[in-house]
Amino acid sequence: MRYFLELAYFGKAYHGWQNQPNAISVQEEIERALSVVFQQKTAIVGAGRTDAGVHAKQIFAHFDTDNELEKEVFQFKMNSLLPADIALRDFFKVKPDAHARFDALSRSYEYHIVQHKDPFLEDRSYFLKNKLDVEKMDRAAEILKDYTNFKCFSKSKTDVKTYNCKITEAVWKIENGVLVFHISADRFLRNMVRAIVGTLLEIGFGKQPIENMHEVIKSKDRSKAGTSVPAKALYLTRVTYPEIAIK
């Protein structure tokens, strides 16, 4: 039987989602807990691979087991075994060929910026004291939806077959005193959101005109885009699936 896990984690202590030979990962901690519950090695496949220090408010992973799982018992056991910064929110049985990564229709991220010093947001947002022109950043973000090839925002050494992504949302909002960038797409490249935010900040600080976003994207050159912003302020917030994939 195949199950989907719905998880959330605070990424500060981890070297990203994916298993690493010499560093602790979120995937490793979840697989360790599953292996204790089932008394055998149990592997999972995640919906994506967040970088070191990035958080997830929602992410899914699938695994296979011969065991019929009891709702409250399994969830209690898993959350007892998982560290405090990883939580199992829910789980459910899916069709045998449902895939947490390949069946995903879209993924959404948030990037949080604060412009006032707040010790309680230090580990979960990017503090910038210089004034930003949010309206210009918003207009530049809208340009992203006119393109599909985002090689300019991709980490240079990455093994992908295509740099094409379909961005459906890219907007800045002020939420509870925090400046939040919302972006959704069918897929994302490695480091893509952090590079996009870095580019938008250059426009917000008046270092580049809004129209520069067109030139950066058309260049397909990572060196033309802005510096990657810190990982600690980035959150994977939502992954969506077609009903047929999970029923």
Side-chain angles (χ1 to χ4, degrees):
M1 290 172 285
R2 178 159 291 186
Y3 285 87
F4 265 34
L5 302 173
E6 181 184 354
L7 302 141
Y9 57 84
F10 187 66
K12 182 180 178 180
Y14 304 100
H15 200 75
W17 165 271
Q18 191 177 16
N19 283 334
Q20 307 281 332
N22 301 306
I24 190 167
S25 71
V26 178
Q27 182 181 7
E28 177 186 342
E29 290 291 345
I30 297 165
E31 290 181 344
R32 180 183 292 133
L34 283 170
S35 298
V36 172
V37 170
F38 297 130
Q39 292 297 295
Q40 64 180 23
K41 190 172 181 180
T42 305
I44 61 173
V45 176
R49 303 174 183 177
T50 55
D51 289 339
V54 175
H55 320 295
K57 294 182 180 181
Q58 182 188 65
I59 190 170
F60 292 91
H62 76 249
F63 73 97
D64 297 324
T65 179
D66 294 329
N67 300 289
E68 188 76 43
L69 303 181
E70 270 189 67
K71 189 75 175 179
E72 291 184 10
V73 174
F74 176 71
Q75 191 157 354
F76 176 79
K77 285 182 179 178
M78 285 293 292
N79 280 324
S80 298
L81 291 164
L82 288 168
D85 48 14
I86 303 175
L88 174 60
R89 299 274 199 219
D90 198 3
F91 72 94
F92 44 92
K93 192 186 294 185
V94 295
K95 62 178 189 173
D97 61 345
H99 199 286
R101 182 182 174 192
F102 298 136
D103 285 344
L105 294 175
S106 69
R107 297 161 176 85
S108 299
Y109 283 88
E110 292 176 2
Y111 195 85
H112 292 202
I113 291 174
V114 291
Q115 299 223 262
H116 58 280
K117 190 173 182 180
D118 187 334
F120 301 107
L121 296 176
E122 170 58 29
D123 284 343
R124 58 199 72 220
S125 62
Y126 186 25
F127 172 51
L128 292 171
K129 59 183 178 182
N130 294 336
K131 186 173 174 59
L132 288 164
D133 191 325
V134 179
E135 184 186 354
K136 285 185 177 178
M137 290 162 59
D138 213 26
R139 286 163 58 195
E142 190 70 17
I143 292 169
L144 293 164
K145 293 191 277 188
D146 295 336
Y147 294 88
T148 53
N149 187 306
F150 295 105
K151 186 176 181 180
C152 64
F153 298 126
S154 174
K155 205 161 191 173
S156 301
K157 295 181 180 178
T158 183
D159 182 24
V160 293
K161 293 178 181 177
T162 175
Y163 292 96
N164 287 352
C165 309
K166 178 59 178 174
I167 294 177
T168 54
E169 178 190 42
V171 64
W172 290 91
K173 297 178 183 178
I174 296 176
E175 300 172 359
N176 299 316
V178 178
L179 181 58
V180 182
F181 179 56
H182 294 264
I183 185 166
S184 300
D186 58 346
R187 63 190 289 266
F188 286 91
L189 305 167
R190 285 193 66 192
N191 206 57
M192 180 173 164
V193 180
R194 291 162 62 196
I196 286 174
V197 174
T199 306
L200 292 172
L201 287 177
E202 288 192 352
I203 293 169
F205 284 132
K207 295 179 180 178
Q208 300 290 346
I210 295 171
E211 294 71 26
N212 188 59
M213 183 61 82
H214 290 288
E215 303 310 313
V216 169
I217 298 171
K218 288 175 183 176
S219 75
K220 300 180 183 179
D221 184 347
R222 178 65 187 89
S223 68
K224 302 292 184 185
T227 304
S228 289
V229 288
K232 66 178 182 178
L234 181 62
Y235 300 77
L236 174 60
T237 58
R238 191 173 181 221
V239 185
T240 63
Y241 295 88
E243 274 197 36
I244 193 170
I246 59 175
K247 297 296 182 186

